């Protein structure tokens, strides 16, 4: 269970501290594998839903090979597109979303381009994108951040898990609610590195099961990590007055190998 949520005025400071600690461990990544051209990024991001990066990239590679231009892609039969992107999973639903989104974009703008969103403020740009088939807040925010350079904050399952454990979002928050509540509090210029570093932390350290709290750079600011550390701390036997300590080798306390007499259980007085 995540610790208490500390929202309000403390949130910007806490996010800044999290970002600083992650940057010290992982650096400050400025970009990722996402396409920059907005419509292609939209296609790639729809393909990335509910699959791994490797499967997404395989599916996208096959799609580009089979349909090199957006015109060719938009003219594809659903069954052809499904076949091309099968390795990415949920091929039927994703093909439907891609073809539906391309049709809407062409219908409304006269061409396969989202450039008309440039210069539009973030909320209406997001509102338009989320009106497209298969596009939720996460997909829209990826486009807004990586293709349009807007301060949107995409939250995926890794970021949701980590920020819940950090007590930055409520335990019941959805991907969309977490994204919208964190976004305005992320520091200027921090949206890209914080997004990418939280994902990396979630994959490598703050895993769904058995998070590696003892080597986590966020432990000093993480209620869940502190709770886990306390729960797993070795229990030491109380010393009787006048008797020497048993089972201690170096006279230090709290070491990982420091098992007290009685198998780590308190000795009855
Ligand atoms: Fe996750 Fe533990 Fe790090 Fe907290 S201290 S962010 S629970 S790995």
């Amino acid at each position: 269970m995540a610790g208490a949520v500390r929202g309000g005025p403390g949130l910007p400071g806490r996010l800044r501290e999290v970002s600083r600690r992650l940057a010290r461990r992982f650096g400050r990544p400025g970009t990722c594998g996402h396409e920059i051209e907005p419509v292609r990024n939209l296609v790639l991001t729809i393909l990335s839903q509910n699959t791994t990066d490797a499967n997404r990239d395989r599916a996208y590679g096959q799609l580009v090979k089979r349909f090199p231009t957006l015109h060719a892609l938009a003219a594809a039969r659903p069954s052809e597109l499904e076949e091309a992107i099968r390795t990415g999973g949920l091929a039927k639903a994703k093909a439907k979303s891609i073809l539906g989104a391309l049709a809407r974009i062409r219908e409304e703008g006269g061409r396969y381009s989202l450039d008309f969103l440039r210069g539009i403020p973030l909320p209406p740009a997001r509102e338009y994108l989320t009106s497209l088939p298969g596009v939720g807040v996460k997909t829209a925010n990826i486009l807004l951040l990586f293709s349009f350079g807007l301060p949107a904050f995409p939250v995926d399952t890794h970021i949701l898990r980590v920020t819940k454990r950090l007590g930055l979002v409520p335990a019941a928050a959805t991907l969309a609610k977490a994204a919208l509540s964190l976004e305005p509090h992320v520091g200027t210029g921090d949206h890209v590195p914080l997004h990418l570093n939280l994902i990396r932390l979630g994959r490598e350290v703050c895993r769904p099961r058995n998070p590696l709290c003892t080597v986590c750079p966020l432990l000093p600011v993480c209620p869940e990590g502190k709770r886990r550390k306390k729960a797993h701390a070795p229990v030491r036997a109380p010393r009787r007055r006048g008797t020497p300590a048993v089972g201690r080798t170096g006279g230090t306390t709290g070491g990982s190998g420091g098992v007290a007499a009685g198998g780590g259980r308190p000795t009855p007085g």
Side-chain angles (χ1 to χ4, degrees), residues 1 6 13 17-18 29 60 111 153 162 168 186 191 193-194 232 245 259:
M1 180 71 76
R6 295 179 204 165
E17 178 63 10
V18 165
Y60 188 65
R111 59 198 183 116
F153 193 66
V162 175
L168 297 173
V186 176
H191 290 75
L194 183 60
H232 294 130
V259 179

mmCIF file of all heavy atoms in Angstrom, residues 1 6 13 17-18 29 60 111 153 162 168 186 191 193-194 232 245 259:
data_model
loop_
_atom_site.group_PDB
_atom_site.id
_atom_site.type_symbol
_atom_site.label_atom_id
_atom_site.label_comp_id
_atom_site.label_asym_id
_atom_site.label_seq_id
_atom_site.Cartn_x
_atom_site.Cartn_y
_atom_site.Cartn_z
ATOM 1 N N MET A 1 0.846 -1.197 0.000
ATOM 2 C CA MET A 1 0.000 0.000 0.000
ATOM 3 C C MET A 1 0.880 1.246 0.000
ATOM 4 O O MET A 1 1.816 1.372 0.750
ATOM 5 C CB MET A 1 -0.886 -0.048 1.245
ATOM 6 C CG MET A 1 -1.836 1.144 1.389
ATOM 7 S SD MET A 1 -3.175 1.161 0.219
ATOM 8 C CE MET A 1 -4.236 -0.056 0.856
ATOM 9 N N ARG A 6 0.783 13.310 -0.410
ATOM 10 C CA ARG A 6 1.080 14.669 0.043
ATOM 11 C C ARG A 6 1.001 15.575 -1.167
ATOM 12 O O ARG A 6 1.970 15.765 -1.881
ATOM 13 C CB ARG A 6 2.466 14.728 0.643
ATOM 14 C CG ARG A 6 2.599 13.907 1.907
ATOM 15 C CD ARG A 6 3.996 14.018 2.414
ATOM 16 N NE ARG A 6 4.322 12.869 3.223
ATOM 17 C CZ ARG A 6 5.558 12.559 3.563
ATOM 18 N NH1 ARG A 6 6.561 13.291 3.147
ATOM 19 N NH2 ARG A 6 5.801 11.508 4.298
ATOM 20 N N GLY A 13 7.900 20.575 -5.102
ATOM 21 C CA GLY A 13 9.203 20.357 -4.466
ATOM 22 C C GLY A 13 9.570 18.880 -4.432
ATOM 23 O O GLY A 13 10.712 18.504 -4.658
ATOM 24 N N GLU A 17 12.716 17.024 -6.320
ATOM 25 C CA GLU A 17 13.683 16.195 -5.601
ATOM 26 C C GLU A 17 13.789 14.798 -6.244
ATOM 27 O O GLU A 17 14.886 14.257 -6.407
ATOM 28 C CB GLU A 17 13.263 16.089 -4.127
ATOM 29 C CG GLU A 17 14.149 15.227 -3.256
ATOM 30 C CD GLU A 17 15.580 15.768 -3.134
ATOM 31 O OE1 GLU A 17 15.830 16.901 -3.573
ATOM 32 O OE2 GLU A 17 16.437 15.020 -2.613
ATOM 33 N N VAL A 18 12.638 14.241 -6.620
ATOM 34 C CA VAL A 18 12.643 12.934 -7.298
ATOM 35 C C VAL A 18 13.412 13.035 -8.608
ATOM 36 O O VAL A 18 14.261 12.200 -8.932
ATOM 37 C CB VAL A 18 11.179 12.468 -7.549
ATOM 38 C CG1 VAL A 18 11.125 11.321 -8.551
ATOM 39 C CG2 VAL A 18 10.520 12.060 -6.234
ATOM 40 N N PRO A 29 18.060 12.045 -19.758
ATOM 41 C CA PRO A 29 17.771 11.707 -21.151
ATOM 42 C C PRO A 29 16.885 12.770 -21.782
ATOM 43 O O PRO A 29 15.949 13.270 -21.146
ATOM 44 C CB PRO A 29 17.059 10.358 -21.062
ATOM 45 C CG PRO A 29 16.497 10.311 -19.689
ATOM 46 C CD PRO A 29 17.449 11.110 -18.821
ATOM 47 N N TYR A 60 6.052 -1.997 -35.895
ATOM 48 C CA TYR A 60 6.185 -0.730 -36.640
ATOM 49 C C TYR A 60 7.090 -0.920 -37.865
ATOM 50 O O TYR A 60 6.807 -0.398 -38.944
ATOM 51 C CB TYR A 60 6.745 0.350 -35.725
ATOM 52 C CG TYR A 60 6.732 1.727 -36.351
ATOM 53 C CD1 TYR A 60 5.535 2.359 -36.658
ATOM 54 C CD2 TYR A 60 7.919 2.389 -36.649
ATOM 55 C CE1 TYR A 60 5.514 3.615 -37.241
ATOM 56 C CE2 TYR A 60 7.906 3.654 -37.229
ATOM 57 C CZ TYR A 60 6.704 4.260 -37.523
ATOM 58 O OH TYR A 60 6.681 5.499 -38.106
ATOM 59 N N ARG A 111 -5.438 16.573 -45.131
ATOM 60 C CA ARG A 111 -4.198 15.835 -45.375
ATOM 61 C C ARG A 111 -3.800 15.064 -44.124
ATOM 62 O O ARG A 111 -4.369 15.281 -43.054
ATOM 63 C CB ARG A 111 -3.070 16.766 -45.823
ATOM 64 C CG ARG A 111 -2.750 17.855 -44.834
ATOM 65 C CD ARG A 111 -1.964 18.983 -45.476
ATOM 66 N NE ARG A 111 -1.621 19.972 -44.469
ATOM 67 C CZ ARG A 111 -0.400 20.284 -44.082
ATOM 68 N NH1 ARG A 111 0.647 19.676 -44.638
ATOM 69 N NH2 ARG A 111 -0.168 21.183 -43.172
ATOM 70 N N PHE A 153 2.665 15.326 -19.476
ATOM 71 C CA PHE A 153 3.379 14.309 -18.707
ATOM 72 C C PHE A 153 2.703 12.936 -18.888
ATOM 73 O O PHE A 153 1.736 12.634 -18.182
ATOM 74 C CB PHE A 153 3.419 14.694 -17.229
ATOM 75 C CG PHE A 153 4.395 13.865 -16.440
ATOM 76 C CD1 PHE A 153 5.755 13.955 -16.694
ATOM 77 C CD2 PHE A 153 3.955 12.980 -15.473
ATOM 78 C CE1 PHE A 153 6.667 13.179 -15.986
ATOM 79 C CE2 PHE A 153 4.859 12.202 -14.755
ATOM 80 C CZ PHE A 153 6.214 12.303 -15.024
ATOM 81 N N VAL A 162 5.229 3.566 -9.548
ATOM 82 C CA VAL A 162 6.269 4.257 -8.780
ATOM 83 C C VAL A 162 5.694 5.474 -8.059
ATOM 84 O O VAL A 162 5.961 5.679 -6.867
ATOM 85 C CB VAL A 162 7.436 4.683 -9.703
ATOM 86 C CG1 VAL A 162 8.457 5.496 -8.927
ATOM 87 C CG2 VAL A 162 8.107 3.468 -10.336
ATOM 88 N N LEU A 168 2.880 10.182 -4.387
ATOM 89 C CA LEU A 168 2.689 11.418 -5.157
ATOM 90 C C LEU A 168 1.304 11.477 -5.794
ATOM 91 O O LEU A 168 0.846 12.553 -6.188
ATOM 92 C CB LEU A 168 3.756 11.526 -6.259
ATOM 93 C CG LEU A 168 5.208 11.623 -5.775
ATOM 94 C CD1 LEU A 168 6.175 11.539 -6.949
ATOM 95 C CD2 LEU A 168 5.429 12.919 -5.007
ATOM 96 N N VAL A 186 5.232 19.385 -12.480
ATOM 97 C CA VAL A 186 6.573 18.984 -12.922
ATOM 98 C C VAL A 186 7.320 20.257 -13.335
ATOM 99 O O VAL A 186 6.763 21.131 -14.006
ATOM 100 C CB VAL A 186 6.479 17.998 -14.116
ATOM 101 C CG1 VAL A 186 7.876 17.653 -14.641
ATOM 102 C CG2 VAL A 186 5.734 16.733 -13.695
ATOM 103 N N HIS A 191 9.879 17.515 -17.834
ATOM 104 C CA HIS A 191 8.872 16.541 -18.258
ATOM 105 C C HIS A 191 9.492 15.338 -18.974
ATOM 106 O O HIS A 191 9.144 14.197 -18.683
ATOM 107 C CB HIS A 191 7.814 17.215 -19.136
ATOM 108 C CG HIS A 191 6.933 18.156 -18.369
ATOM 109 N ND1 HIS A 191 7.364 19.397 -17.953
ATOM 110 C CD2 HIS A 191 5.660 18.031 -17.916
ATOM 111 C CE1 HIS A 191 6.387 20.001 -17.291
ATOM 112 N NE2 HIS A 191 5.339 19.198 -17.253
ATOM 113 N N PRO A 193 12.930 14.222 -19.089
ATOM 114 C CA PRO A 193 13.807 13.367 -18.277
ATOM 115 C C PRO A 193 13.087 12.670 -17.132
ATOM 116 O O PRO A 193 13.364 11.510 -16.843
ATOM 117 C CB PRO A 193 14.879 14.338 -17.740
ATOM 118 C CG PRO A 193 14.408 15.707 -18.029
ATOM 119 C CD PRO A 193 13.406 15.610 -19.134
ATOM 120 N N LEU A 194 12.121 13.347 -16.507
ATOM 121 C CA LEU A 194 11.420 12.699 -15.393
ATOM 122 C C LEU A 194 10.576 11.532 -15.904
ATOM 123 O O LEU A 194 10.569 10.452 -15.303
ATOM 124 C CB LEU A 194 10.545 13.723 -14.655
ATOM 125 C CG LEU A 194 9.804 13.193 -13.424
ATOM 126 C CD1 LEU A 194 10.782 12.667 -12.370
ATOM 127 C CD2 LEU A 194 8.917 14.275 -12.800
ATOM 128 N N HIS A 232 11.423 -5.287 6.839
ATOM 129 C CA HIS A 232 12.418 -6.332 6.585
ATOM 130 C C HIS A 232 13.665 -6.188 7.439
ATOM 131 O O HIS A 232 14.605 -6.963 7.290
ATOM 132 C CB HIS A 232 12.819 -6.335 5.102
ATOM 133 C CG HIS A 232 11.677 -6.722 4.227
ATOM 134 N ND1 HIS A 232 11.298 -5.988 3.132
ATOM 135 C CD2 HIS A 232 10.799 -7.742 4.318
ATOM 136 C CE1 HIS A 232 10.228 -6.549 2.580
ATOM 137 N NE2 HIS A 232 9.925 -7.610 3.273
ATOM 138 N N ALA A 245 27.044 -9.807 24.423
ATOM 139 C CA ALA A 245 26.236 -9.977 23.222
ATOM 140 C C ALA A 245 26.566 -11.302 22.567
ATOM 141 O O ALA A 245 27.702 -11.734 22.575
ATOM 142 C CB ALA A 245 26.523 -8.828 22.247
ATOM 143 N N VAL A 259 22.275 -11.450 12.494
ATOM 144 C CA VAL A 259 21.201 -12.241 13.091
ATOM 145 C C VAL A 259 21.493 -12.424 14.561
ATOM 146 O O VAL A 259 22.539 -12.901 14.954
ATOM 147 C CB VAL A 259 21.106 -13.623 12.407
ATOM 148 C CG1 VAL A 259 20.001 -14.445 13.047
ATOM 149 C CG2 VAL A 259 20.868 -13.441 10.923
#
